[in-house]
Amino acid sequence: VNRTIDWDGDAIAIIDQTLLPGEERVLRIRDVEELAEAIRSLRVRGAPALGVAGALGVALAVRGARHVQAEADRAAALLAATRPTAINLSWGIEQARSHASKGAGAVLRAALELVEADVRTNRAMAELGAEWVAENIATPVRVLTHCNTGALACVEIGTALGVIAESHRRGLIEEVLATETRPLLQGSRLTAWELQRLGIPFRMVTDGAAPSVIARGEVSLVMVGADRIAANGDVANKIGTFPLALAAARARVPFVVVAPESTRDESTGSGAEIRIEERGEDEVLGYAGVRVAPDGAHAMNPAFDVTPADLITAIITEDRVIVPRLE
Ligand code: MRU
């Protein structure tokens, strides 16, 4: 398996991320309803991978359709409603849907181009990011990261984890500290699995421990991905990112966001306008089907938070390094 998501000729092939690290199973998705379920349940997840899923989903829906535009519109509405926070999902859907008037073939070609563009974008971010690390952070670098921003969150390579892997390849990295990322453990399950395969030294930390680990001077860099970047530079990312940024600012440790230009949303002025996905309370009250909290307990489960631009040292995209404070 070398791609998180791809087109296999007549289906969307994804690695089912709910089964990792225990099992590497490829799912072949043949209709849009099945894709919507896979997105909602996080079988495929991570902002860039969701963009590609959205585009391929529209392409899947219009195959053999009599009314291509109507089918594309229906699929677009269904898929866009699955998860609200990552802008890449609706961006990818629109990239494909905008070709519907030219027929199903044009939609599929646009979606396939988006798959390849994602790989190129990630490669460019990894290189630009590793150069930034080399120039700005004293070696050996000790970096803390959150959630999963590796190849599993994209088609290949990754965003923040792509930069970390490239920096490691260049001999800059001593150790990675990876947060567990409650409630669904994208860190412990997915980032740990990827770091192991990349041969990068790492240890896990609980989400609760991470801010004080930063305050104690254990890391020289915090590097995360993003699900949506507002026009003013505020960043929505996995819940638990904001406390890392607060701790990093207090400890004067650089806090860096790595995300493609497609994650920037110029139509959203600030983070306050970003819709934060609220997921089911069972994800918090237990894990993997095992109830932990007593019967009758309830939970809040925001899946993302917003880090204000003034806490962000730099945003690295495939094209440039943005310093929100100076924009
Ligand atoms: O709920 P998820 O697992 O889709 O959330 C993923 C993240 O928050 C990532 O950090 C984000 O998508 C950016 S990295 C590609």
Side-chain angles (χ1 to χ4, degrees), residues 25-107:
R25 192 194 298 167
V26 174
L27 264 181
R28 291 201 160 66
I29 296 177
R30 293 194 166 78
D31 67 65
V32 204
E33 281 71 25
E34 205 186 330
L35 179 63
E37 186 283 329
I39 294 173
R40 265 187 239 111
S41 58
L42 274 55
R43 297 184 200 287
V44 58
R45 48 144 297 282
L50 289 174
V52 167
L56 289 175
V58 174
L60 187 66
V62 299
R63 271 189 5 132
R66 181 120 53 99
H67 304 290
V68 171
Q69 187 69 59
E71 222 18 80
D73 293 347
R74 196 187 71 82
L78 173 72
L79 293 171
T82 53
R83 297 193 75 192
T85 305
I87 179 81
N88 307 63
L89 177 58
S90 47
W91 174 83
I93 290 168
E94 288 312 317
Q95 295 290 307
R97 190 172 73 122
S98 64
H99 293 268
S101 62
K102 291 177 273 172
V107 174

Side-chain angles (χ1 to χ4, degrees), residues 17 42 44-50 83 86 88 122 146-150 152-154 158-160 181 184 186 190 224-227 236-239 241 258-260 263 277 279 303-304:
Q17 300 192 35
L42 274 55
V44 58
R45 48 144 297 282
L50 289 174
R83 297 193 75 192
N88 307 63
N122 280 276
H146 187 53
C147 195
N148 173 268
T149 65
L152 289 171
C154 307
T159 60
T181 318
L184 296 177
Q186 287 93 329
L190 308 176
V224 298
D227 289 86
N237 190 49
K238 179 53 57 195
I239 191 75
T241 301
V258 182
T263 303
E277 179 183 12
R279 295 183 62 84
F304 299 93

Side-chain angles (χ1 to χ4, degrees), residues 307-324:
T307 297
D310 63 86
L311 297 179
I312 298 169
T313 310
I315 298 173
I316 298 172
T317 77
E318 66 275 32
D319 293 339
R320 57 202 169 127
V321 178
I322 304 166
V323 180

